[in-house]
């Protein structure tokens, strides 16, 4: 595939197996090559849902192929994934869950979440970000604005369960 910033972007199906030179003799696992794509995956949590299962599958497939994968969860600390994750995946748990008491609290808390997410994304120095789920997608788009990083957002939800909160619906349209 055409590269991002001169690097090869790899999909789980299309990427080749690592060459013999790319295998670590001690562990027989692929080393991250100089051409590894830095992929930053963002999701609210890694619970037992379907989007979380797909996120784990993608993260594991890319890590297996030697890509540099970071997984940021907004609402939980790192290491709380329901689905197994490859040890080469850099997990960053921001633990930002919280309830709002008022509209002002909600705005302030979400601005703080977007700022913390922006800092985490910058630390990852990604070639691309992939975000799952509605509110997380909005926060990701806000957090990455101006960073010159391509962002892919994916909504993985039954249409009957789509966001009903008016403020989030407007934020979704604006982002």
């Amino acid at each position: 595939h055409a590269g991002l910033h001169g690097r090869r972007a790899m999909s789980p199906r299309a990427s080749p197996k690592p060459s013999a030179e790319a295998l670590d003799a001690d562990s027989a696992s692929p080393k991250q090559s100089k051409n590894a794509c830095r992929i930053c995956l963002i999701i609210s949590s890694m619970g037992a849902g379907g989007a979380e299962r797909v996120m784990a599958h993608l993260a594991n497939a890319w890590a297996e192929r030697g890509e540099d994968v970071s997984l940021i969860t907004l609402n939980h600390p790192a290491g709380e994934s329901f689905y197994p994750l490859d040890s080469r995946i850099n997990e960053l748990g921001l633990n930002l869950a919280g309830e709002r008491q008022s509209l002002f609290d909600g705005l302030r808390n979400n601005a703080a979440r977007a700022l913390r997410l922006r800092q985490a994304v910058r630390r990852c120095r990604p070639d691309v970000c992939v975000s799952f789920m509605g509110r997380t997608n909005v926060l990701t788009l806000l957090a990455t604005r101006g960073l010159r990083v391509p962002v892919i957002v994916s909504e993985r939800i039954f249409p009957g369960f789509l966001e009903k909160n008016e403020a989030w619906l407007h934020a979704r349209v604006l982002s």
Side-chain angles (χ1 to χ4, degrees), residues 41-58:
L41 305 173
I42 304 166
I43 194 164
S44 60
S45 70
M46 285 300 290
E52 294 86 343
R53 179 180 46 80
V54 172
M55 184 69 81
H57 178 75
L58 289 172

Side-chain angles (χ1 to χ4, degrees), residues 4 7-8 11 35 44 59 69 71 74 81 85 89 91 100 102-103 105 107 113 115 145 151 153-154 156 158 161:
L4 298 168
R7 294 193 166 107
R8 284 182 37 225
S11 71
N35 292 330
S44 60
V69 179
L71 174 63
L74 299 181
S81 177
L85 293 172
I89 296 168
E91 294 181 64
R100 71 178 174 107
S102 68
L103 177 61
D105 284 342
L107 292 171
R113 285 182 185 107
L115 181 60
R145 184 150 293 172
V151 177
V153 297
S154 178
R156 303 209 168 259
F158 175 71
F161 296 138

Side-chain angles (χ1 to χ4, degrees), residues 63-139:
E64 176 70 26
R65 285 160 177 78
E67 304 304 340
D68 183 357
V69 179
S70 295
L71 174 63
I72 299 174
T73 54
L74 299 181
N75 297 338
H76 295 99
E80 290 194 2
S81 177
F82 177 82
Y83 299 99
L85 293 172
D86 189 295
S87 63
R88 293 168 286 198
I89 296 168
N90 178 32
E91 294 181 64
L92 295 135
L94 302 183
N95 206 21
L96 298 175
E99 294 296 320
R100 71 178 174 107
Q101 303 301 317
S102 68
L103 177 61
F104 177 75
D105 284 342
L107 292 171
R108 186 185 67 221
N109 291 343
N110 283 307
R113 285 182 185 107
L115 181 60
R116 289 272 314 277
L117 178 56
R118 183 181 183 87
Q119 292 166 344
V121 168
R122 287 180 114 168
R123 278 194 308 269
C124 295
R125 296 181 16 245
D127 296 314
V128 64
C129 290
V130 179
S131 174
F132 278 12
M133 308 301 286
R135 290 183 182 193
T136 302
N137 291 343
V138 171
L139 289 172

Side-chain angles (χ1 to χ4, degrees), residues 18-36:
S19 66
E21 304 87 55
L23 292 179
D24 183 341
D26 296 331
S27 66
S29 63
K31 288 182 181 178
Q32 289 176 342
S33 72
K34 293 177 191 172
N35 292 330

